[in-house]
Amino acid sequence: MSAIVLLVLGLAAMAAGYLVYSKFIAEKIYRLDPDFKTPAHEYEDGIDFVPTNRFILWGHHFTSVAGAAPIVGPAIAVIWGWLPAFLWVVLGTIFFAGVHDSGAIWASVRNKAKSVGSLTGDVVGKRARSIFMIVIFLVLLMVNAVFAVVIAGLMMKFSSAVVPVWGAILVALVIGQLIYRRILSLPVVSVLGVIALYALIWVGPSVPIQMPTEVMPGLSGNAAWILLLFGYAAIASLLPVWMLLQPRDYINGLQLFIGLIVLYGAVVLLNPTLVAPAFNTDVPPGTPSLLPLLFVTIACGAISGFHGLVSSGTTSKQLNRETDARFVGYFGAVGEGMLALAAILAATAGFASVADWQAMYTAFGSGGVTAFVQGGAYIIHNGLGMPEATAATLLTVMAALFAGTTMDTGLRLQRYIFQEWGEIYNLPWMKKGAPATLLAVGSCLLLAFGAGGADGSGGMIIWPLFGTTNQLLAGLTLLVITVMLVRLRRPMWYTLAPLCFLLVMTIGALLLQLRTFYEQGNIFLLLMDIVVLIAAILVAMECAAALKRSRAEVAAEPE
């Protein structure tokens, strides 16, 4: 089958979802009000609460939620064939992710920009809040620890990516000053920023920076990069959002779209064939069943609980008008769906033959970023004539920059969690930014080096549980939104149906993983799985109780 057909069908469906379905959800279900005074204006402080142009905010939101996950998940899931991955990405983007992301922004904005974890206590109950906060902490711990390993690994493997990855930070700092101080208009700044970013990508191969394999006794090069990344992220999480977070995310959003145009354009010109089967019946030994693992393997790109943390953690504090939630939240999900679609195309059409594809997918979990970079570089090289090494650097930098922006936001969100715990348990010192940031960084480093040893790869140990934990978090967010809709006497099925689907798939996946971990003798992951499974069952019970209680309260109220 031609890759162009898949490309056109996917983009057309997502465009229709944004133009039609998101408008219906925004106007009839959430009823976004352009005159509502958002928290960005009510609590404006120039640090976290900053009214922001919706295009810049879209860039922040999109690149924060995207990361490497919409590349990794789909590029692994195609081991079951391209059709299941394609359908889940497209339908998940339209009916799950867009509704979830824009709804989380709306729910937070309507409640003083509280995070969805804190909001759970007000909307659902204190028991649900306790579960939520634990799940949120686990997800952020996984994301921050693992993405540090991913970025460090990319810089160790591709020394040509070091200058573009770190140089992008300087570009963002300059752009932040130009925009905030209104020295230049946004279109001019955008053009200059993109030129600077791609100039760095061009310079990168000429100035490779290779970290020594061993920096000093007991400290590997990989571990040194991880420490530097967390040092940077700690500083970035305390800076005003307009100074680094917003411009870094905005310019990375632009470079992603340029990267997508390059990759999509190469697909159109080359017209490659999908060498992978639509349904792969000859999967490698040990590959788990498609149902329900597909729906937790592809999280970002279809629906992801991490998006709810960003939507209610940083995005809601910067929303200029409530109606911007549709563009920022729903279209942000569409942008991620487009990236996931590109990953599917690269991982299925970026190989010369079925044998080459099978050589990449020798076991469940293979593929990932490597399949995206190699497959995408193959398509760009043969479609546009760009040197394959340059195309590989372009895609590597894209993946590393997205992982970096997600890590920036993730550590800031983890700092918010510790500050919220300070509020809940009346610990004044924990409410302050610096101590909360130190706790956030310390917990990540404890996992990275405590569980992973001297190379700092501890996050990878619990990464197999990310998909299920992340989807459980998405279910909790949808629960909060659904209860709010019930109390407002609005239709709830548009959020309740995705909620029920996610809970069923998550609990099923946890049960399958439980057996796998037991057979492998992995006691640590077995115990972690049991914890998450208990949380999932409690969430299901809280869902039923909260909805029953809310519907009874509404029925008792006069119309």
Side-chain angles (χ1 to χ4, degrees), residues 13 95 121 274 279 286 327 330 361 380 393 448 473 479 499 504 509 530 535:
F95 298 107
L274 300 171
F279 286 99
F327 178 79
Y330 198 103
Y361 289 89
I380 293 172
T393 299
L473 184 56
L479 169 61
L499 162 61
V504 170
I530 291 172

Side-chain angles (χ1 to χ4, degrees), residues 263-283:
L263 183 55
Y264 286 162
V267 169
V268 171
L269 292 174
L270 180 62
N271 190 20
T273 300
L274 300 171
V275 297
F279 286 99
N280 188 14
T281 56
D282 187 24
V283 295

Side-chain angles (χ1 to χ4, degrees), residues 381-417:
H381 170 65
N382 289 283
L384 300 177
M386 182 185 295
E388 199 159 353
T390 303
T393 299
L394 174 70
L395 296 175
T396 299
V397 171
M398 181 191 297
L401 288 179
F402 275 126
T405 54
T406 300
M407 188 179 169
D408 286 1
T409 302
L411 199 66
R412 186 179 288 260
L413 291 171
Q414 205 164 0
R415 186 247 292 178
Y416 290 162
I417 293 297

Side-chain angles (χ1 to χ4, degrees), residues 499-536:
L499 162 61
C500 294
F501 180 85
L502 282 179
L503 285 179
V504 170
M505 292 301 162
T506 299
I507 292 174
L510 284 166
L511 290 171
L512 282 178
Q513 287 180 320
L514 197 66
R515 185 180 66 182
T516 301
F517 297 146
Y518 175 77
E519 292 173 350
Q520 293 173 348
N522 194 327
I523 303 301
F524 178 72
L525 284 181
L526 180 69
L527 294 175
M528 288 287 292
D529 191 294
I530 291 172
V531 170
V532 179
L533 179 60
I534 292 172

Side-chain angles (χ1 to χ4, degrees), residues 281-338:
T281 56
D282 187 24
V283 295
T287 301
S289 62
L290 184 151
L291 288 175
L293 265 296
L294 171 70
F295 301 101
V296 297
T297 301
I298 300 179
C300 296
I303 181 171
S304 165
F306 180 72
H307 294 200
L309 302 184
V310 176
S311 296
S312 64
T314 56
T315 302
S316 64
K317 295 177 175 63
Q318 302 169 63
L319 201 72
N320 185 39
R321 302 174 69 200
E322 190 177 65
T323 48
D324 290 347
R326 178 192 173 204
F327 178 79
V328 174
Y330 198 103
F331 191 61
V334 169
E336 190 176 60
M338 293 169 63

Side-chain angles (χ1 to χ4, degrees), residues 188-541:
V188 174
V189 171
S190 301
V191 172
L192 293 176
V194 168
I195 291 173
L197 204 59
Y198 279 95
L200 288 170
I201 294 174
W202 179 74
V203 169
S206 302
V207 192
I209 297 177
Q210 184 67 58
M211 182 74 76
T213 305
E214 187 177 30
V215 178
M216 62 178 68
L219 183 67
S220 67
N222 193 74
W225 277 129
I226 290 173
L227 290 172
L228 286 172
L229 286 165
F230 274 113
Y232 154 73
I235 296 170
S237 73
L238 291 170
L239 292 176
V241 291
W242 63 266
M243 187 176 291
L244 178 59
L245 191 69
Q246 284 181 356
R248 178 165 156 80
D249 291 350
Y250 174 66
I251 202 66
N252 282 339
L254 291 180
Q255 71 94 17
L256 167 77
F257 263 91
I258 293 173
L260 285 178
I261 290 171
V262 170
L263 183 55
Y264 286 162
V267 169
V268 171
L269 292 174
L270 180 62
N271 190 20
T273 300
L274 300 171
V275 297
F279 286 99
N280 188 14
T281 56
D282 187 24
V283 295
T287 301
S289 62
L290 184 151
L291 288 175
L293 265 296
L294 171 70
F295 301 101
V296 297
T297 301
I298 300 179
C300 296
I303 181 171
S304 165
F306 180 72
H307 294 200
L309 302 184
V310 176
S311 296
S312 64
T314 56
T315 302
S316 64
K317 295 177 175 63
Q318 302 169 63
L319 201 72
N320 185 39
R321 302 174 69 200
E322 190 177 65
T323 48
D324 290 347
R326 178 192 173 204
F327 178 79
V328 174
Y330 198 103
F331 191 61
V334 169
E336 190 176 60
M338 293 169 63
L339 178 57
L341 177 61
I344 292 172
L345 292 172
T348 56
F351 298 88
S353 66
V354 177
D356 291 337
W357 181 81
Q358 290 174 334
M360 174 65 70
Y361 289 89
T362 56
F364 181 71
S366 56
V369 173
T370 302
F372 171 74
V373 171
Q374 292 185 5
Y378 172 88
I379 293 172
I380 293 172
H381 170 65
N382 289 283
L384 300 177
M386 182 185 295
E388 199 159 353
T390 303
T393 299
L394 174 70
L395 296 175
T396 299
V397 171
M398 181 191 297
L401 288 179
F402 275 126
T405 54
T406 300
M407 188 179 169
D408 286 1
T409 302
L411 199 66
R412 186 179 288 260
L413 291 171
Q414 205 164 0
R415 186 247 292 178
Y416 290 162
I417 293 297
F418 278 107
Q419 289 180 303
E420 287 181 0
W421 276 336
E423 291 281 352
I424 293 170
Y425 299 110
N426 195 25
L427 300 171
W429 63 273
M430 197 184 287
K431 300 177 187 178
K432 298 177 181 178
T437 299
L438 288 175
L439 288 172
V441 172
S443 61
C444 292
L445 292 178
L446 183 63
L447 172 63
F449 291 94
D455 67 347
S457 61
M460 291 300 186
I461 293 175
I462 62 173
W463 186 249
L465 285 171
F466 172 76
T468 47
T469 309
N470 190 42
Q471 299 304 62
L472 175 59
L473 184 56
L476 280 163
T477 303
L478 288 169
L479 169 61
V480 171
I481 299 169
T482 303
V483 172
M484 286 182 62
L485 291 174
V486 169
R487 291 180 177 177
L488 293 169
R489 300 177 183 271
R490 296 178 191 172
M492 65 176 181
W493 293 107
Y494 303 96
T495 54
L496 182 61
L499 162 61
C500 294
F501 180 85
L502 282 179
L503 285 179
V504 170
M505 292 301 162
T506 299
I507 292 174
L510 284 166
L511 290 171
L512 282 178
Q513 287 180 320
L514 197 66
R515 185 180 66 182
T516 301
F517 297 146
Y518 175 77
E519 292 173 350
Q520 293 173 348
N522 194 327
I523 303 301
F524 178 72
L525 284 181
L526 180 69
L527 294 175
M528 288 287 292
D529 191 294
I530 291 172
V531 170
V532 179
L533 179 60
I534 292 172
I537 294 170
L538 290 174
V539 167
M541 295 170 63

